[in-house]
Structure formats: structure tokens, C-alpha cells
Amino acid sequence: MDSSSVDLPGSEVESIVFENGTLTIRFSRAIIIKTMSGSDERTRWWQAGALVYEGAELESDIPVSPCTCEGGDVGENVYTYRDMIPIPLNSQGRARCDLKFDKSDERLQAWAEGVRLVMDDRPHYIEHIRNSD
């Protein structure tokens, strides 16, 4: 089975907006790793998109953007995705955000009633990743 996921470390965040209970983390350049079944090799791509939390409650201040994500956790129900977001992601139920930015102690922390990943346009190829890399 082919799989794709956003690699949070190094993904560029254009804006973070909290409005009417919706937290939107807008990526100008989300790094995507694609893996094909039966292959040890992977490819790296970039694509714009947004991670959207509905019914959100913030537990921290919103970091200044633009910024670069350094990793963290995206939770949906019983799953916690560390330093990545599966593609696709569209889930109702308890959702969590705990992301860090720009090699600092700055974090974005929130709880929500649902989370979805909305990607724009199409992915753009960056490079081939070999096991020796």
C-alpha cells in the first residue's frame, strides 16, 4: 500500500489563526514523504495546505508566524502522531495539538472536537530518499 504523510520538522507555517473556535495552521510548504509498497526508497515533496481544528480551545498563546515547525504531536482520538500527520486525516472526536516552532520553547497547544488536513493544489517533487541518505 502506498502511503503519504506530512513530515512536521522543517514544514513552513505561513499563519496560525484562531477564530470562532476554529484553529487553522496554514502551511506554505508542508514537507511530504511518500512511500511505495514493496520499495525501501521514499520520495520527498512539498505542498501547501492547512491543519484545521474545529471546536478548539487554546492552552497556549499563538506563536508569531511565519515560522518553521520543529515537530510535536497531532492527536486524534486514541492515536498520537509524533512529528508527522498522515494523509488523509479527517477525524471527529477528541483531537490534540502540541507543536513546537523555530528551535525555541514556543509551543502551540490546543484541544478540539475534530481535526482535518486540507491540502491545496498538488504536491511538488523535491528529491528521492535512499536508505544511505
Side-chain angles (χ1 to χ4, degrees):
M1 173 186 228
D2 296 349
S3 67
S4 296
S5 61
V6 171
D7 195 19
L8 287 171
S11 287
E12 298 170 11
V13 176
E14 176 181 307
S15 64
I16 302 171
V17 177
F18 181 65
E19 190 172 76
N20 299 322
T22 300
L23 174 64
T24 304
I25 303 162
R26 179 99 189 115
F27 293 99
S28 56
R29 190 175 171 102
I31 304 300
I32 298 171
I33 303 297
K34 293 186 178 191
T35 305
M36 292 192 301
S37 56
S39 176
D40 291 334
E41 297 180 354
R42 301 172 297 152
T43 52
R44 183 175 284 121
W45 303 70
W46 73 269
Q47 187 174 1
L51 184 61
V52 181
Y53 288 89
E54 299 290 345
E57 295 179 17
L58 292 178
E59 292 185 336
S60 67
D61 293 331
I62 294 176
V64 176
S65 53
C67 53
T68 301
C69 186
E70 295 300 323
D73 295 341
V74 171
E76 57 117 355
N77 295 306
V78 298
Y79 300 102
T80 299
Y81 304 107
R82 172 120 334 130
D83 293 338
M84 59 84 73
I85 306 168
I87 299 175
L89 175 65
N90 189 352
S91 179
Q92 293 301 310
R94 199 69 166 151
R96 175 92 172 119
C97 173
D98 185 5
L99 302 177
K100 50 191 167 191
F101 299 92
D102 288 333
K103 298 181 181 174
S104 72
D105 292 333
E106 210 168 18
R107 297 183 90 76
L108 176 62
Q109 297 174 317
W111 285 98
E113 297 171 1
V115 60
R116 71 182 187 279
L117 182 64
V118 181
M119 301 308 287
D120 301 338
D121 196 20
R122 62 178 181 78
H124 304 274
Y125 178 79
I126 298 173
E127 66 183 341
H128 209 79
I129 305 168
R130 291 181 172 73
N131 285 336
S132 61
D133 290 354

